[in-house]
Amino acid sequence: MTTATNRADTSRPILLNCNDAVTAEEIGHVFLVTINRPEARNAVNPDVIRGVGRALEHAEECPGIRAVVITGSGDKAFCAGADLKSAAVGAFGEIPEGMEQWGFAGFVKHHISKPTIAAINGFALGGGTEIVLASDLAIASSEAVFGLPEVKLGIFAGAGGAFRAGQQVPKKIAMEMLLTGQPLPAQRALEIGLVNRVVPPEEVLPAALELARQICENAPLAVQTTKRIANGITDGTVESDQADWARSEWEAQKLMRSTDFMEGMRAFAEKRAPQWQGE
C-alpha cells in the first residue's frame, strides 16, 4: 500500500492504493474505506477481501489514524454480501494464504484497536449485514435495507451473523431474521439497535465522518484501550468468539456437502425457485 507524501495538510484527503475493488483515503485522522464495485452492488470477491484487509492493517499501524469508516460505492448498495458468481467459479479458493484470518470482506474477523463505523448507503444483505454486525458503530440511510437471507439459498450466515445477531439484538428478533431471511427496513434496524441512527441518504457519509471526528477528539490511546476491553480483544483476537467460529466452520463443512446446498446454488444461477429436499 502506497501513501501520498504530503501528510501535513489534513484538510485534504490522502489517497491510498488498495486495488480497483477498494479505495481508501485519510481525511484528517479518519480513514475512509470504500468497497468500489457498484456494478455488482459492492458484493465481496477476493479483491475486496485483499483491499479491505490491507486497508485495516494500514489503519492499525498508522498512529495518525484514529477511526475507520467503511462504506460502499454509489447510492444503491452498501454491500450485497458474497459475490456468488465468483464463488460459483471457485474464485474464493484463490485467496492468498494468511488472509483467512481476516474473515469475510477482510473485515468480520479483523479486530483492530481503532473504532470502526459502517456508513450504510443502501442494501446491506447477507454479508453486508454481517459487516455491520462486526462494526463498532453504524449510520444508515433511511433507504437502507438489512437482512440475513442465507437460508433462502440453502446456506447460513457463516460470516458471524449466526451468532452475532443474537448478541446484538433481542434473541427472538435475531432468530426471526436468521430463520425467515426476511429483510428489515432502516427504521426497524434502528428500533432493534442494529444501527445507531438513520439519516437521509445524502447525509450518511457526512454523519459517519462527523461521528468519527467526535471520536478523534478524544485521547487516541484511551479510545483504543476502551475498545479492546469492551470487545474482549487481545492481540487482535476475540477469545470469546473462537468457539462460535469453530462451530460455524464445522457446520459449514457439513452443509456444503448437502443436496440442498447444491440445489440452492443451482437455483440462484438459473434464477428459479429452489426445490428443497431436506438432505
Side-chain angles (χ1 to χ4, degrees), residues 14-181:
I14 299 175
L15 301 179
L16 303 174
N17 179 21
C18 292
N19 58 44
D20 290 341
V22 176
T23 64
E25 56 186 308
E26 293 181 36
I27 305 174
H29 292 298
V30 181
F31 198 45
L32 174 61
V33 180
T34 304
I35 301 173
N36 188 37
R37 302 188 70 223
E39 76 288 348
R41 296 188 299 170
N42 297 317
V44 172
N45 67 0
D47 283 341
V48 171
I49 297 172
R50 294 183 184 96
V52 173
R54 289 168 180 165
L56 292 189
E57 284 197 327
H58 173 80
E60 185 73 339
E61 294 167 0
C62 180
I65 294 174
R66 300 181 184 179
V68 175
V69 172
I70 183 166
T71 192
S73 181
D75 58 2
K76 301 299 182 184
F78 168 70
C79 175
D83 188 334
L84 295 181
K85 292 181 180 178
S86 291
V89 298
F92 281 86
E94 300 170 4
I95 299 172
E97 184 179 357
M99 290 193 180
E100 306 85 11
Q101 66 198 48
W102 295 341
F104 178 79
F107 190 88
V108 301
K109 295 172 71 175
H110 202 157
H111 302 291
I112 65 172
S113 299
K114 314 295 174 71
T116 57
I117 303 170
I120 305 107
N121 51 311
F123 285 96
L125 298 176
T129 289
E130 289 173 303
I131 292 173
V132 176
L133 288 167
S135 300
D136 297 309
L137 301 161
I139 304 293
S141 161
S142 57
E143 303 299 317
V145 177
F146 301 83
L148 296 167
E150 284 86 350
V151 292
K152 293 179 177 291
L153 297 171
I155 53 180
F156 76 107
F163 60 89
R164 282 180 174 151
Q167 294 170 352
Q168 297 184 30
V169 304
K171 181 66 179 290
K172 285 183 170 56
I173 294 174
M175 293 302 291
E176 183 176 352
M177 291 174 62
L178 290 162
L179 300 181
T180 69

Side-chain angles (χ1 to χ4, degrees), residues 1-20:
M1 182 175 291
T2 58
T3 308
T5 56
N6 182 8
R7 302 179 67 86
D9 182 8
T10 57
S11 66
R12 185 174 63 189
I14 299 175
L15 301 179
L16 303 174
N17 179 21
C18 292
N19 58 44
D20 290 341

